[in-house]
Amino acid sequence: MFQSNMPDPSLLRGMTRSRLGRRDALRLGGLSAMGAFLAACGVEGKGKPQASVAPDAVAKFWANKTQNGKLNFAGWPLYMDPKKPELKKFTQKTGIQVTYDEVIQEMAPWFAKVQPQLSAGQSIGYDVMVITNSSQFGQFRDSGFLAPLDHAKLPNYAANAAKSYANSSYDPGNVFSIPYASGITGIAYDPSKIKEPITKLSDLWNPKYKGKVGMFRDVQELGNFGLLAAGIDPAKSTETDWQKAAAELQKQKDAGIVRNYYDQSYVDALGKGEVWITMAWSGDIFQKNVSDGTNFKFVIPEDGGTIWTDNMAIPVTAENPVDAIMLMDFLYELENATTLAEYINYVCPVPAAQAQMRKHAAALTGEDKEYLLSVAESPLVFPGETEYDRLHYYVDFNTAEEKKDFERVFQPIVLG
């Protein structure tokens, strides 16, 4: 009876427009190296692997830990069906009561909020949290604030997740985290305005679209596209490369090609026809098309796009870590991973969820069936090998000073 856990398709369609702010919150967190989804499809992480924990760290942490029948989950706004069907199902199966709070809006403020308590060895009031691959992820990890995961307690993850997650550069071996969802930065365009196919990053520099091009104002995103357009792998880039990419972006600006440097408002600008072609986030465009009936196209350029990932992790001071890791693994059961993807509309970490989603759609009729099939067949939710082969992650800063240098190079383009 797979229908029992399915989100209401009409609710999904109604909620998508309000969920456009999710990626903006991620962007504000300041992203760094992304590897898991690239590795999952054969694109090895090229970042510097971080040190693992001591061999006995897992045994020491989990010794004498017991199930307590409750847990607190710190999540992002609108990152789960408001009816919480997966959590209700978890409680029915295990008896564990879950309190789910949408308390994370940006990564930097979240880290700043919980850091004093974690430093003091105190509980932050949450047993599992969803944290982005940002500089703050590294701070959580390197400060010893994340519990090492006992993978013996994660059989569903082992069975259903894409097999190469262990190659991620930010958490090799998934010592501290497992993915929740992911997304892609590429190009969106309006085919009613642009008749020829958009295939390359250079299309964002095409004088034919002068004044109708949107670029992101976030310097990490902007700089990454500048580097890719210049044929430079962001993961291997140097400050000299940054200067080269910035020069190309400045030429684009000086030529009047760029209409504006946008935050989340690029979606509205595309909808209003202010821009015809723009940098874009995959989930936004899928949701915009579903909610507003538009037909915008999203492409991963031949010369590259970028990818980001959210991850579930357990604070080292969690009061209910056994209950937390049980929930984490439960969300990797095929049915639960599928219904989460049906609501979230971002990249799903469980490949088999695509076939399961098709089964869900087959049980529906009319508009509901059409909608769910559109999710199942979307390369924005289930990218194929062709898409993944073109994906890169962000510049990996070894020090805070390097990050400042990067921002110093690219900020004048947006602010000047």
Side-chain angles (χ1 to χ4, degrees), residues 47-369:
K48 182 175 64 178
Q50 301 296 329
S52 185
V53 295
D56 60 347
V58 173
K60 283 184 175 180
F61 178 83
W62 292 98
N64 302 317
K65 297 291 196 303
T66 59
Q67 181 179 328
N68 295 324
K70 61 182 180 180
L71 71 94
N72 298 317
F73 192 132
W76 296 74
L78 301 164
Y79 221 18
M80 185 178 284
D81 186 329
K83 295 181 180 179
K84 310 296 188 294
E86 295 83 14
L87 301 186
K88 290 178 181 177
K89 188 178 176 184
F90 176 70
T91 299
Q92 291 171 357
K93 180 177 181 179
T94 66
I96 297 171
Q97 299 294 321
V98 183
T99 300
Y100 183 90
D101 294 330
E102 297 178 342
V103 292
I104 306 177
Q105 299 280 353
E106 302 175 29
M107 277 302 298
W110 176 248
F111 181 82
K113 178 180 179 179
V114 301
Q115 185 271 337
Q117 294 161 287
L118 290 168
S119 295
Q122 300 172 354
S123 170
I124 65 170
Y126 292 98
D127 305 296
V128 61
M129 56 185 176
V130 176
I131 55 176
T132 308
N133 288 57
S134 61
S135 56
Q136 286 76 35
F137 185 100
Q139 289 178 288
F140 274 114
R141 179 198 60 222
D142 297 341
S143 299
F145 293 161
L146 301 180
L149 300 179
D150 182 354
H151 279 262
K153 302 180 187 300
L154 295 168
N156 291 316
Y157 174 76
N160 295 327
K163 297 302 180 184
S164 298
Y165 281 131
N167 294 332
S168 68
S169 61
Y170 61 88
D171 187 16
N174 299 111
V175 175
F176 301 106
S177 68
I178 56 176
Y180 186 83
S182 187
I184 299 166
T185 307
I187 297 175
Y189 68 99
D190 185 345
S192 71
K193 306 286 198 312
I194 298 177
K195 303 303 181 182
E196 59 273 17
I198 298 299
T199 59
K200 298 180 182 296
L201 285 165
S202 58
D203 290 321
L204 292 168
W205 274 256
N206 192 333
K208 187 174 182 178
Y209 312 131
K210 182 176 181 178
K212 294 296 184 180
V213 172
M215 300 292 285
F216 283 164
R217 75 181 185 190
D218 175 76
V219 294
Q220 183 111 36
E221 293 277 17
L222 183 67
N224 217 62
F225 260 42
L227 288 164
L228 290 171
I232 299 166
D233 182 348
K236 298 178 180 179
S237 64
T238 64
E239 186 166 354
T240 299
D241 296 325
W242 305 344
Q243 296 285 356
K244 180 180 178 181
E248 293 303 310
L249 288 164
Q250 189 64 50
K251 290 178 183 177
Q252 180 197 39
K253 180 180 182 178
D254 292 343
I257 293 172
V258 179
R259 170 68 175 249
N260 204 351
Y261 296 90
Y262 293 95
D263 53 16
Q264 199 75 31
S265 59
Y266 83 90
V267 179
D268 290 331
L270 186 64
K272 294 175 181 177
E274 294 176 6
V275 297
W276 297 351
I277 177 173
T278 180
M279 291 179 66
W281 291 307
S282 56
D284 287 357
I285 302 306
F286 183 85
Q287 293 168 10
K288 177 72 172 177
N289 286 341
V290 168
S291 61
D292 290 1
T294 52
N295 187 37
F296 299 137
K297 303 299 183 184
F298 179 91
V299 297
I300 302 171
E302 292 176 1
D303 32 1
T306 50
I307 192 164
W308 48 269
T309 305
D310 276 348
N311 306 274
M312 292 183 284
I314 299 174
V316 72
T317 57
E319 296 176 339
N320 307 294
V322 173
D323 306 79
I325 201 168
M326 288 175 65
L327 175 61
M328 291 166 65
D329 192 58
F330 180 80
L331 295 179
Y332 268 85
E333 287 186 7
L334 178 58
E335 176 65 16
N336 302 321
T338 302
T339 56
L340 275 175
E342 288 172 359
Y343 179 79
I344 296 172
N345 297 163
Y346 284 100
V347 178
C348 178
V350 176
Q354 184 174 35
Q356 187 74 352
M357 198 177 294
R358 292 186 184 118
K359 291 181 182 178
H360 287 190
L364 301 173
T365 60
E367 188 180 37
D368 292 344
K369 180 176 184 177

Side-chain angles (χ1 to χ4, degrees), residues 6 342 357 360-361 364 368-376:
M6 288 174 60
E342 288 172 359
M357 198 177 294
H360 287 190
L364 301 173
D368 292 344
K369 180 176 184 177
E370 182 180 351
Y371 165 76
L372 204 54
L373 279 174
S374 72
V375 179

Side-chain angles (χ1 to χ4, degrees), residues 219-220 239 242 397-412:
V219 294
Q220 183 111 36
E239 186 166 354
W242 305 344
F397 305 112
N398 294 314
T399 65
E401 192 60 34
E402 279 189 359
K403 185 174 185 292
K404 290 179 181 178
D405 290 341
F406 182 91
E407 293 170 348
R408 176 179 50 79
V409 170
F410 290 102
Q411 278 179 345

